[in-house]
Amino acid sequence: MQVNQEDRATPQSNKASGSNAGVIGITVAVLLAAAGYFYFTSEKEPEVIEPIPVQLPEPVPEQPIEQEPIEEVIVEPEVIEPEVLPAEPEVVVEPLPALTESDDFVEQKTIDMADGMKIESIILKKDIARQFVVFVDNMAQGEVIRKASPLKGPKDSFSVSEITNKTYLNPDSYHRYDLYADMISGMNDEQLVSTFEELSPLFNQAFDELGYGDMTFEDRMQDAFKMILAAPIIEDPIELSSISVNYQFVDTKLEALPNVQKFMVRMGPENTRKIKAAVRKLQQELAK
C-alpha cells in the first residue's frame, strides 16, 4: 500500500543546525541532569538505626466459645406452574384441482385478489390457467393475441379525432382500459404474490405443455415484465395514419415498437404508469 505522505513524520537530518541545535542541546542536557540526579540519589547509603527492644504482653488463656445451636430451616421448593399458551389456529391449505378442472378455483382466486372490484364480467372462464400462461408467453415476445387473453376486451370502441386534416388518437379512448389498469394496480401485493405461489403448480404444468425445456414460467414472467417496463409513456397528442380499416402511428419510432408496447401506448400515460408501478412492486415481492 502506498504511504500517504501526510501521515509520515518529517525526516530529520543527522546534523542539527541553527537554533534547532541549541534546543536539542538544552533538551539533552536537562535529560542527562535528571537522569544523573535520579541515579546518584538512588545509590546513597541508608542511615543505620539501632533497633529498640519491644516487650510483648503476657498471653491471655483462650476461653472456649459456646456456640448456640443452629435451627435447621427447611425451604420448600417453589412449584412453578407451566405457562399454557393459546393454541395457534390451524392453517388449512386448500388442495389444488387438476389443471383441466381449475377454472372455478382460479376464477375465485382472481376475484379475491381484486379486493372488491367488480371484475367478474371481464373474466373469460375457459381454461383460465392455460390462457394466462400463453398470454404471458406472448407478451414476453412482444405480442398481444386477443384469442389467448384470459380477460375480455373493453366494450367501448377505439376512437380518433380529426384536427386540421390530421388524425389523432382520441384521449377519451384511454379510459376504455381504466378498469384493467385499476384492477392491476389495486391488488394487494402480498396477496397477489401469495396467490401466484399457490397457483404456480398449475401455471408450471401449463407452461411445460408449451415445450420450453430451458426456462421456468417465472423466468418467462420476468421477460414479460421487462417488455412492459420498456414501454414509453407518451404525453403529447399521437398522430395516426389510416391504412384500410387499421390505424398506424405516424411516428416511425412508435410504429416500430413491439405490439405489447404499442398496446400500452394506446392505454394512455396514466394507465401505463399504473401498470408499470404494479409490475415493479410485483418484481420486488417475487425477488424476496
Side-chain angles (χ1 to χ4, degrees), residues 12-192:
Q12 298 291 339
S13 172
N14 291 332
K15 182 179 179 181
S17 61
S19 59
N20 286 340
V23 173
I24 293 173
I26 294 172
T27 304
V28 172
V30 171
L31 291 175
L32 288 176
Y37 175 79
F38 175 79
Y39 175 80
F40 289 115
T41 52
S42 61
E43 290 296 321
K44 185 178 179 181
E45 294 183 1
E47 183 180 356
V48 178
I49 302 175
E50 292 292 334
I52 300 175
V54 178
Q55 185 176 1
L56 297 176
E58 293 291 333
V60 178
E62 295 183 0
Q63 298 292 333
I65 300 174
E66 294 185 2
Q67 295 183 347
E68 296 182 359
I70 300 174
E71 183 179 354
E72 184 178 359
V73 179
I74 301 175
V75 179
E76 294 291 338
E78 183 181 358
V79 179
I80 302 175
E81 295 292 337
E83 184 180 359
V84 179
L85 299 175
E88 295 184 0
E90 184 180 356
V91 178
V92 179
V93 179
E94 191 174 357
L96 284 177
L99 179 60
T100 54
E101 301 172 356
S102 62
D103 275 355
D104 290 340
F105 186 83
V106 176
E107 180 190 36
Q108 188 57 53
K109 291 296 180 180
T110 306
I111 293 172
D112 292 344
M113 284 190 300
D115 198 21
M117 289 183 286
K118 303 298 181 183
I119 65 169
E120 292 88 342
S121 62
I122 65 173
I123 297 177
L124 280 172
K125 194 175 176 181
K126 184 180 179 181
D127 226 355
I128 303 175
R130 284 191 175 100
Q131 292 290 81
F132 174 68
V133 167
V134 172
F135 190 74
V136 169
D137 182 48
N138 290 335
M139 288 183 66
Q141 300 174 72
E143 295 297 333
V144 178
I145 300 176
R146 295 184 185 278
K147 289 189 297 183
S149 174
L151 301 176
K152 297 178 183 178
K155 293 181 178 179
D156 298 332
S157 58
F158 176 78
S159 62
V160 297
S161 301
E162 300 289 341
I163 304 174
T164 60
N165 297 324
K166 291 184 178 181
T167 304
Y168 292 90
L169 195 160
N170 188 343
D172 291 341
S173 292
Y174 298 155
H175 299 299
R176 299 188 305 152
Y177 299 100
D178 287 352
L179 175 61
Y180 304 87
D182 290 341
M183 179 185 73
I184 294 173
S185 63
M187 288 183 175
N188 181 280
D189 299 333
E190 293 182 0
Q191 188 178 10
L192 182 60

